[in-house]
C-alpha cells in the first residue's frame, strides 16, 4: 500500500482522497448539444426572397347573348320577288297601313290567289304610287330596321275597300276584304268588287272596264303598276 502511494507521489491515504476530489471531469463526458437552424435554400422562382401567393385575376365578365327576335328574323328571311299573303285591313284609315299579320308569313306562289303583295325590293327607298306601299320593322333587340317595298297583287272577283263621297269613290288599293255586306272600318263606307284586272291600253279609263257591248254597269277604275294595269271595280251588290 505504501509502495502504491509512493508511486502516485502521495504520502498517505488522506492525500490520495484529496487528489481524487480536486481532479477535473473526464474529457469523455458528452458536451451539451444545441440545435442550429436549418438554412433555407431559395429556389429560382423567388430570387432568394420569400414570396406571398399572388391573387388570381378576376375572370372576364361574359357578354350576355341577345335574345333572338323572331319578328326580325321573319323580315330578314324575305327576298325581293317573294309574294306574301298579307294586306291592309283598313283599320288604320287613310293615313296608315294596318297589316293583316304581325310578321311576314311564309312566301306563297305569285301565280296563286293567296298572293296579295309582291316584294319588289328590300332595305331601300320604296317608290310611291297607286297599289304600292312598304312594310318596315325596327327590332328592339338589335336596333336594326328591315324594310320591304311592296306592290299589290290583284285578283278578279276579290274585294277591296272604298270611300264614297257623292259619285266619287276613292279605292283603298292596298286593302282586301271579304266580299259580303258587313260593316267596314271607318272612314271607308263601301266594299268594291274587282271585276277585272287588265293590261291597260293607251288612255285607259273606266270605259275600258265594260265586259260586253251595251254594258251599263257603273265602274270605278284605277291604273296600277305604274300605269301598266287597269283595275276595274264596282260597288259590291251581293248579300
Amino acid at each position: 500500500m505504501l509502495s502504491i502511494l509512493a508511486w502516485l507521489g502521495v504520502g498517505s491515504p488522506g492525500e490520495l482522497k484529496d487528489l481524487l476530489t480536486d481532479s477535473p471531469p473526464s474529457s469523455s463526458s458528452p458536451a451539451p448539444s444545441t440545435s442550429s437552424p436549418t438554412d433555407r435554400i431559395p429556389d429560382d422562382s423567388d430570387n432568394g426572397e420569400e414570396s406571398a401567393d399572388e391573387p388570381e385575376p378576376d375572370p372576364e365578365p361574359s357578354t350576355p347573348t341577345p335574345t333572338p327576335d323572331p319578328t326580325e328574323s321573319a323580315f330578314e328571311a324575305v327576298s325581293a320577288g317573294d309574294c306574301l299573303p298579307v294586306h291592309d285591313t283598313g283599320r288604320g284609315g287613310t293615313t296608315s297601313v294596318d297589316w293583316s299579320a304581325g310578321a311576314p308569313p311564309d312566301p306563297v306562289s305569285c301565280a296563286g290567289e293567296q298572293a296579295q303583295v309582291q316584294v319588289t325590293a328590300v332595305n331601300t327607298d320604296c317608290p310611291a304610287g297607286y297599289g304600292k306601299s312598304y312594310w318596315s320593322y325596327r327590332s328592339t333587340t338589335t336596333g336594326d330596321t328591315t324594310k320591304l317595298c311592296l306592290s299589290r297583287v290583284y285578283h278578279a272577283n276579290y274585294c277591296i275597300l272604298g270611300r264614297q263621297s257623292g259619285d266619287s269613290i276613292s279605292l283603298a288599293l292596298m286593302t282586301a276584304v271579304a266580299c259580303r255586306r258587313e260593316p267596314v272600318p271607318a272612314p271607308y263606307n263601301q266594299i268594291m268588287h274587282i271585276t277585272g284586272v287588265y293590261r291597260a291600253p293607251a288612255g285607259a279609263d273606266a270605259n275600258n272596264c265594260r265586259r260586253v257591248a251595251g254594258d251599263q254597269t257603273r265602274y270605278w277604275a284605277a291604273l296600277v303598276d305604274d300605269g301598266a294595269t287597269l283595275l276595274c271595280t264596282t260597288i259590291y251588290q251581293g248579300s
Side-chain angles (χ1 to χ4, degrees):
M1 174 66 176
L2 291 176
S3 61
I4 295 173
L5 294 174
W7 181 77
L8 291 175
V10 295
S12 65
E15 291 180 3
L16 177 61
K17 181 178 179 182
D18 292 338
L19 178 63
L20 294 173
T21 302
D22 293 338
S23 61
S26 168
S27 61
S28 63
S29 301
S33 63
T34 58
S35 61
S36 61
T38 303
D39 291 336
R40 179 179 180 274
I41 302 176
D43 56 25
D44 294 336
S45 63
D46 58 11
N47 297 320
E49 298 178 356
E50 292 190 26
S51 60
D53 292 337
E54 296 183 1
E56 294 183 1
D58 294 335
E60 291 292 331
S62 59
T63 302
T65 302
T67 303
D69 185 341
T71 301
E72 181 181 40
S73 298
F75 270 84
E76 291 177 342
V78 178
S79 302
D82 287 346
C83 285
L84 305 174
V86 295
H87 60 271
D88 179 11
T89 67
R91 288 191 289 267
T94 59
T95 58
S96 63
V97 175
D98 178 63
W99 295 106
S100 58
D106 292 337
V108 296
S109 170
C110 292
E113 292 188 353
Q114 284 186 305
Q116 295 176 331
V117 294
Q118 184 171 28
V119 181
T120 58
V122 176
N123 293 333
T124 187
D125 291 334
C126 298
Y130 291 123
K132 295 182 179 181
S133 187
Y134 66 90
W135 191 9
S136 64
Y137 175 75
R138 183 180 184 275
S139 173
T140 57
T141 300
T142 65
D144 296 334
T145 298
T146 307
K147 187 176 184 180
L148 309 178
C149 302
L150 305 176
S151 179
R152 183 74 162 84
V153 178
Y154 300 99
H155 304 283
N157 298 319
Y158 280 54
C159 289
I160 62 176
L161 293 171
R163 183 182 183 186
Q164 183 172 15
S165 177
D167 286 338
S168 175
I169 297 180
S170 298
L171 302 177
L173 294 170
M174 298 302 295
T175 65
V177 65
C179 293
R180 57 175 178 260
R181 297 310 303 181
E182 61 182 10
V184 296
Y188 304 107
N189 53 15
Q190 290 292 358
I191 295 175
M192 307 301 294
H193 183 231
I194 299 173
T195 59
V197 182
Y198 309 111
R199 179 173 299 191
D205 59 20
N207 291 322
N208 297 105
C209 292
R210 294 191 176 97
R211 289 168 283 182
V212 294
D215 186 357
Q216 298 300 310
T217 304
R218 179 71 185 272
Y219 293 97
W220 287 265
L223 290 171
V224 295
D225 298 333
D226 298 322
T229 301
L230 175 65
L231 180 71
C232 298
T233 71
T234 63
I235 296 175
Y236 180 71
Q237 302 294 337
S239 58

